[in-house]
Amino acid sequence: MLLKMNAPSCSAVSRRAAKAHGPACPCCRPARAAVRVSASAPAAKSASVGKDGLVRIVDEAQVRTVHIAETMLPTRHGNFRLRGYKHSIDGGKNFVEPTAIICGQVEGREDVVLRVHDACFTSEVLGSLKCDCAEQLQMSMEYIHANAPGIVIYLWQEGRGIGLANKIAAYKLQEQGLDTVDANRALGLPDDSREYTSVRNILKELNVKSIRLMTNNPRKINVLTELGVKVTGRVPCQIQAGTFNKGYLEAKTKRMEHMIDNSFWSVDEADAAAKVTADKAAAAAQLAAAVEKSA
């Protein structure tokens, strides 16, 4: 199946972003024909063992990642190539649909910035303040647009792979005082059950030679490296904590070894950032009131 469409010209969100684009940028010219291709893995088994002893095994002989189509997507962060895939770890009996959000020409390139982002319905759709996922997604899209070429691979692995319903159950336990790690364990669930064979296969299909991973999570670096992805560097993706997620970021830092500077989640810093935001809002309201009164 062939898909071909004309892409709108790039609308760079900043002067810095504009420099990342040019006549050869795929965002600024008609998309090439997209053809279905398959990137299958070597016949072997890989297993990840969590700190709680639970094991998640992926039979590599059953792993399939198939490219379906590509389109151009205008967003508030700029224009991106959006590539859809179907991915299965059981030979095609069941599948999920990872997507690659691409800015620029990544094919055949080295040191491509990559953000591997897992879905978070509660923050990205409902606007939850309990985590930093929505802000990380926004940051990563803006970053790859300003520093093209780059990729955000979006995976449907809610709640570090435990699913939305289990995540809600974990949130209920967090209301009773457990942190994000202990809540999972109290439910008999692993700390992190995400798998990244689709990422390896998508990068292979795109012929990306090496990546600089945009992450705070050392597990992602280790797992992708074990899968054969060449990781040449790391780009931090740190978000300033607020009142409702500072405990979550602290737990990720202290208990899951995420590389987050303490200033991003400590009580004093988070409260200070919240106060600055509130002060700015108050000043803006006062200015608006003064303008209205003078009018």
Side-chain angles (χ1 to χ4, degrees), residues 240-243 267-285:
Q240 182 64 57
T243 302
V267 175
D268 291 342
E269 292 291 338
D271 288 347
K275 186 177 185 303
V276 169
T277 301
D279 289 345
K280 287 182 178 179

Side-chain angles (χ1 to χ4, degrees), residues 279-293:
D279 289 345
K280 287 182 178 179
Q286 289 176 358
L287 178 60
V291 170
E292 183 178 356
K293 184 176 180 180

Side-chain angles (χ1 to χ4, degrees), residues 5 75 156 209:
M5 60 180 57
T75 78
W156 296 95
K209 304 297 186 182

Side-chain angles (χ1 to χ4, degrees), residues 64-101:
R64 298 290 184 273
T65 307
V66 180
H67 171 230
I68 302 301
E70 176 177 328
T71 188
M72 288 302 304
L73 189 71
T75 78
R76 63 176 60 92
H77 309 299
N79 294 337
F80 295 88
R81 300 164 56 191
L82 184 66
R83 293 173 67 85
Y85 296 82
K86 291 186 183 292
H87 174 71
S88 176
I89 59 174
D90 61 7
K93 296 176 183 177
N94 300 283
F95 65 88
V96 292
E97 297 182 322
T99 55
I101 306 162

Side-chain angles (χ1 to χ4, degrees), residues 87-136:
H87 174 71
S88 176
I89 59 174
D90 61 7
K93 296 176 183 177
N94 300 283
F95 65 88
V96 292
E97 297 182 322
T99 55
I101 306 162
I102 305 173
C103 194
Q105 183 75 41
V106 299
E107 287 84 349
R109 298 290 294 269
E110 297 181 347
D111 299 330
V112 174
V113 175
L114 170 68
R115 166 71 182 167
V116 178
H117 189 89
D118 296 284
C120 181
F121 173 82
T122 47
S123 71
E124 294 161 6
V125 177
L126 302 182
S128 168
L129 302 176
K130 290 177 68 68
C131 64
D132 59 345
C133 301
E135 290 86 354
Q136 285 189 317

